[in-house]
Amino acid sequence: MTATRPDPDDRHAGGAAARAGATGPHSLPAALVRQVIAGLPSGLVVVNNTNVVVLVNSAARRMGVVAGDQLGVPDVADLVTACRLAGAERNRQLDLPPVPEPPLTRARPDQTALAVWAYARPLGDSGYVSVLLDDITDSRRVEAVRRDFVANVSHELKTPVGALHLLAEAVSEASEDPVAVRRFASRMTHESARLARLVQEIIDLSRLQGAEPMPELAPVPVSVVLAEAVDRNRYNAQAHEISVAVIGAGGLRVRGDEGQLVTAVANLLDNAISYSPRGTRVVLGVRQVGEIVEISVADEGIGIAEKDLERVFERFYRADPARSRATGGTGLGLAIVKHIATNHGGSVGVWSAEGRGSTFTLRLPAGPDDPAVADGRAADDRAAEDRTGGAVSGAVGAGSAPGSR
């Protein structure tokens, strides 16, 4: 906590605060009161009857509401005036201007306003007013995300449900035409599968975002994760005539939840297969860089436009909506990958160029090298290689750079 000037009234206010916090015959020393105020996570400012700041804690300083010994945000000054005129507490939500990060003197263009609830309260009849500022930026962002999520889910669910309704009517009207019935039934199967996948991915994403606690993390062989991911996409790869090559997986381990890691890699692999031309190859590459294990999925597909690269991990965002509808994509697969990476203390990134394909890289903290399980790990790796053997073609030597194009 800092004070803008030594003021007898300020000292008096400190003594009053100490007496207000007293229990029984005892009182809290003014120095301890100041320490309590300084440690508050909320911003606190006290101004006198001429709006000179006489008390301000470090949280309020960081919010940028004080300039010298004056209130630096007009909205806060207006709230103080309204409180003083009414002689009663006044509160409202305010957006504070972004505060420059030292050593900068101006806020960055990408900095957002700080959202706060400001509570102004008169301190007796002295004209002093206290202002408490609670940062609600994160909670407001979460609420906005929730609203967007509900709106997007409603829209996405309406599409397959509406399609199924129309197809059911078409089947009924074409009951005398076996060819048309088979065609409509095939479309109904496609839409129902899309609906089931969408519902499952909504459930998965909800769990990853905190609806359920994270399972206990344990060392997981990377080869096992890749083997299961390849196995899940075996039929999809064969249907698209895509060959899948796995390189550099031997012996590496990460610390995590095997089920979630398999989901993340399987989603990346499914995405690569869906956006690749027939007869091309997808490469699953693994390598360790320092304490990080990188799992890359590289394809020879259509690529992603530069304007879309920053948004591909957003929920329901599709760089190519028409292609997503054709492949049954939900727009949630990459968002799930991002949340899994974050929950494991890692990250996911993408390199892409239109017409040259894409490479998604999942970066995860390396798992501990436990000598006691070295033999078991080798057995896991051999088993994983056996499992991927049927789905892997065009193998690349381990000396090649994972995901190289």
Side-chain angles (χ1 to χ4, degrees), residues 143-342:
E143 178 61 22
V145 168
R146 186 194 66 81
R147 288 196 305 269
D148 290 345
F149 185 67
V150 171
N152 284 328
V153 167
S154 301
H155 174 74
E156 293 295 331
L157 288 175
K158 285 179 181 178
T159 303
V161 170
L164 286 171
H165 178 75
L166 293 175
L167 288 167
E169 290 182 346
V171 168
S172 177
E173 294 174 359
S175 57
E176 303 298 328
D177 185 350
V179 175
V181 168
R182 284 194 295 271
R183 184 172 70 252
F184 292 140
S186 175
R187 288 301 306 169
M188 291 177 72
T189 301
H190 176 81
E191 292 297 337
S192 61
R194 179 184 175 190
L195 180 60
R197 180 176 180 180
L198 175 60
V199 170
Q200 184 58 53
E201 291 193 343
I202 290 172
I203 293 172
D204 292 342
L205 190 58
S206 176
R207 289 173 176 169
L208 290 170
Q209 288 181 312
E212 293 184 2
M214 272 286 292
E216 184 175 351
L217 304 184
V220 178
V222 175
S223 56
V224 172
V225 173
L226 268 59
E228 181 61 29
V230 170
D231 193 54
R232 288 189 186 184
N233 285 277
R234 186 184 303 272
Y235 175 77
N236 190 23
Q238 291 174 348
H240 287 78
E241 301 176 6
I242 302 293
S243 63
V244 179
V246 180
I247 60 175
L252 296 180
R253 292 151 63 89
V254 294
R255 189 167 185 82
D257 174 73
E258 182 177 326
Q260 290 192 14
L261 294 176
V262 170
T263 296
V265 178
N267 282 2
L268 292 176
L269 185 56
D270 175 73
N271 203 60
I273 293 171
S274 297
Y275 285 87
S276 293
R278 289 181 177 274
T280 57
R281 185 178 68 166
V282 171
V283 177
L284 271 171
V286 183
R287 66 177 181 177
Q288 183 165 353
V289 181
E291 298 299 317
I292 299 297
V293 171
E294 295 185 350
I295 302 174
S296 61
V297 180
D299 63 60
E300 301 171 3
I302 60 176
I304 304 170
E306 185 176 356
K307 65 181 179 62
D308 295 315
L309 285 177
E310 294 184 357
R311 302 192 61 189
V312 293
F313 296 103
E314 294 180 12
R315 291 170 300 181
F316 298 110
Y317 185 79
R318 299 180 179 91
D320 187 348
R323 179 113 180 183
S324 292
R325 285 193 296 270
T327 60
T330 65
L332 290 176
L334 292 179
I336 289 173
V337 174
K338 181 178 179 180
H339 280 285
I340 291 175
T342 301

Side-chain angles (χ1 to χ4, degrees), residues 109-127:
D110 60 337
Q111 281 186 256
T112 57
L114 187 69
V116 300
W117 263 110
Y119 305 84
R121 175 178 297 178
L123 302 179
D125 299 325
S126 62

